[in-house]
Amino acid sequence: MAAFMVRKRWFSGSSIDWWDGVKPAAKDPIFAITEAFLADDCPSKINLGVGTYRDEKGRPVILECVRRAEAKIGGVQTMEYLPIGGDPKLVQETIKLAYGENSDAVKENRVAGIQALSGTGSCRLFAEFQRRFRPESPMYLPIPTWSNHHNIWRDAHVTQRTFHYYHHQSKGLDFGKLMEDVKNAPDSSFFLFHACAHNPTGVDPSEEQWKEISHLFKVKKHFPFFDVAYQGFASGDPEKDARAIRIFLEDGHKIACAHSFSKIMGLYGLRVGCLSIVCKDAEQSAAVKSQLQQIARPIYSNPPVHGALLVYTILTDPDLRSLWLAELKVMVSRINVMRNLLRKSIENFGSLHNWEHITNQIGMFCYTGLSPEQVDRLVNEFHIYMTRSGRISMAGITPASVDYLAKAIHEVTKHDR
Ligand SMILES: Cc1ncc(COP(=O)(O)O)c(C=O)c1O
């Protein structure tokens, strides 16, 4: 009995509060908006925070090409592991989509590619690769950029720097300062660009500007990394939206791309994407690929199988591919209709501000220019949710909600000069 009491005291005395030092982490700025939106019971609430496509009634969409690809596949075919680098057929099709089937890099088999956990996972793999093999080179991120880019390169312990991108007065590209920053960066720095439909601004360089950037990159020996989350979502045509990538390729740059099928095929939760790195020859490509696999193995072992099969089926079946291209156009055109309606409606309410940028910007988002305080009023008084940067997801607006949104925007901006 006595021995039992001593033992009990010893056990309770040795109990350690392992996680005493753990404080609540800051919420993710985008996912926190959805949480707040879901907790709001106002019937007229609108969520413009998260970048997911919605139809004209505000409903999530499963593309018809995806449904038909599911039918063609005929249900789950395998539960086996994929190789560490994922489905090679998916990787090959993704590379062809972005780089062009006839590009030298593809024909010479010198693009190292592996399937990864969508765009986020692809960026993270690249950041890890960069730290391992180019630890001295910083990654330059545009200001602003998708907020998770900062988290990704921070957690990979890569030095981060920033470059000018957006011009607040003109609500367009700050091309002059961008070029200055590219020029002033130490030679052989890494720069992240959004291949098209820049998130959050909806502002891309023109073709001429891309050519100038590419030329300066040659002079400075910089490395261009493209986040390709919206190929097809800017113009409705994936070929056109690959223009920046192709310009850099034609100029002989060794580039890398993080590809995502979340937005362009509506496969958000399936986590389908790839990381690709252009190398000098097939031998180097094999070496780079093997290192990417070595990075992936202890993190998640291998990527999920089903989404890869779906994407591969859509890209290689001529009918499904045409259907996908047509559905992309429908999504882009619905967003553009909303841009026109929103701008017209704000102007019709008598706003004296210039709202041209709503129709000038492209892709899923509009960077409205609303201040954090104006956004707070939209949330608190009108139950309209968005990031405090004033970014709105155009795909979250419907013909039924556009006037309510326009009136609210007019209300919170009308006394501002
Ligand atoms: C610019 C950009 N890159 C990458 C992603 C990552 O998306 P996912 O990981 O779903 O492919 C997003 C998503 O919003 C994005 O906007």
Side-chain angles (χ1 to χ4, degrees), residues 118-120 146 149 194 199 227 229-230 260 262-263 271:
S118 209
T120 309
W146 179 50
H149 284 146
H194 300 220
N199 173 10
D227 184 330
Y230 298 93
S260 164
S262 293
K263 321 280 174 164
R271 316 307 295 140

Side-chain angles (χ1 to χ4, degrees), residues 86-157:
D87 184 339
K89 299 195 300 279
L90 167 81
V91 174
Q92 198 51 26
E93 288 307 314
T94 307
I95 288 171
K96 285 197 303 200
L97 183 69
Y99 295 82
E101 187 152 3
N102 295 318
S103 67
D104 289 346
V106 170
K107 285 198 290 198
E108 291 159 14
N109 193 26
R110 55 184 173 84
V111 185
I114 76 167
Q115 186 187 333
L117 303 187
S118 209
T120 309
S122 306
C123 285
R124 182 60 197 266
L125 280 184
F126 184 79
E128 294 287 339
F129 182 76
Q130 185 186 340
R131 183 180 49 76
R132 277 192 192 190
F133 295 100
R134 283 281 167 182
E136 72 292 349
S137 306
M139 174 55 102
Y140 279 78
L141 299 175
I143 290 296
T145 192
W146 179 50
S147 54
N148 213 17
H149 284 146
H150 293 284
N151 305 332
I152 290 169
W153 270 270
R154 176 201 65 209
D155 281 6
H157 303 284

Side-chain angles (χ1 to χ4, degrees), residues 274-315:
C274 291
L275 170 65
S276 64
I277 302 180
V278 176
C279 299
K280 71 172 185 205
D281 54 30
E283 193 185 339
Q284 187 179 66
S285 162
V288 167
K289 183 173 172 177
S290 70
Q291 291 291 345
L292 293 175
Q293 287 168 325
Q294 197 183 75
I295 293 170
R297 174 68 169 143
I299 308 177
Y300 56 85
S301 204
N302 46 72
V305 63
H306 190 67
L309 186 53
L310 273 178
V311 171
Y312 170 74
T313 305
I314 292 168
L315 290 178

